[in-house]
Amino acid sequence: MARAEFNFCFPFRVRYSEIDGQKVVFNAHYLTYFDTAITEYFRELGYDYMAQVERTGTDFHTVRTLVDYKRPILFDDEIEVHVRTARIGRSSIGFAVEIHPQGKDDLYASGEVVWVNTDQTSHKSAPVPEELVPLLEGFEKKGLRG
């Protein structure tokens, strides 16, 4: 996808602690970038995720992550992590994520993160909170149920 297909991105500058012996971002940090960007995406939506947990007794659990590594990201690179909601199911939300150099369409990595909303007492899946669906669909400017 192109950067233009995303309504949200969050910038990072790669820190020394994130690189490995080859001076490339260690693979596990990509998921940290994804997770941080998704948190900021929800902040941009104005959705109080922690209030949802307190109010409903449900919480999202990550059940799937996928990273496709395209090019290495190096120390001190300035990157943007782009996030969009790709799909909303009964109890799940799927996010598409891409990492690009700041201000450029070149692709460092793409990925997917899937969350399932879970009742914290029964540990069974629970419906995505109804107040969240119109926020996501409005932000993405399209229907996402499917």
Side-chain angles (χ1 to χ4, degrees), residues 59-78:
D59 197 356
F60 287 104
H61 292 230
T62 300
V63 298
R64 176 179 166 77
T65 58
L66 173 71
V67 181
D68 286 324
Y69 303 94
K70 306 294 185 185
R71 323 179 9 208
I73 304 173
L74 307 174
F75 169 68
D76 216 29
D77 279 349
E78 293 183 63

Side-chain angles (χ1 to χ4, degrees), residues 63-139:
V63 298
R64 176 179 166 77
T65 58
L66 173 71
V67 181
D68 286 324
Y69 303 94
K70 306 294 185 185
R71 323 179 9 208
I73 304 173
L74 307 174
F75 169 68
D76 216 29
D77 279 349
E78 293 183 63
I79 60 173
E80 298 172 338
V81 181
H82 295 257
V83 177
R84 70 179 178 82
T85 301
R87 181 179 129 349
I88 301 173
R90 184 193 76 77
S91 62
S92 65
I93 301 175
F95 301 98
V97 186
E98 290 186 355
I99 302 176
H100 295 270
Q102 188 174 32
K104 297 181 181 171
D105 276 331
D106 300 345
L107 184 62
Y108 282 130
S110 62
E112 172 187 2
V113 176
V114 177
W115 286 358
V116 170
N117 197 37
T118 305
D119 180 292
Q120 295 303 283
T121 302
S122 69
H123 302 289
K124 297 192 183 299
S125 67
V128 171
E130 280 305 313
E131 69 273 12
L132 179 55
V133 175
L135 284 175
L136 293 168
E137 290 182 331
F139 188 78

Side-chain angles (χ1 to χ4, degrees), residues 24-67:
V24 172
V25 170
F26 180 66
N27 60 4
H29 287 294
Y30 287 71
L31 294 177
T32 300
Y33 295 154
F34 288 5
D35 184 63
T36 301
I38 290 169
T39 297
E40 295 301 326
Y41 174 86
F42 272 79
R43 186 170 282 123
E44 180 76 13
L45 287 173
Y47 188 72
D48 189 344
Y49 172 80
M50 295 309 293
Q52 170 204 312
V53 175
E54 293 296 320
R55 185 179 68 258
T56 67
T58 67
D59 197 356
F60 287 104
H61 292 230
T62 300
V63 298
R64 176 179 166 77
T65 58
L66 173 71
V67 181

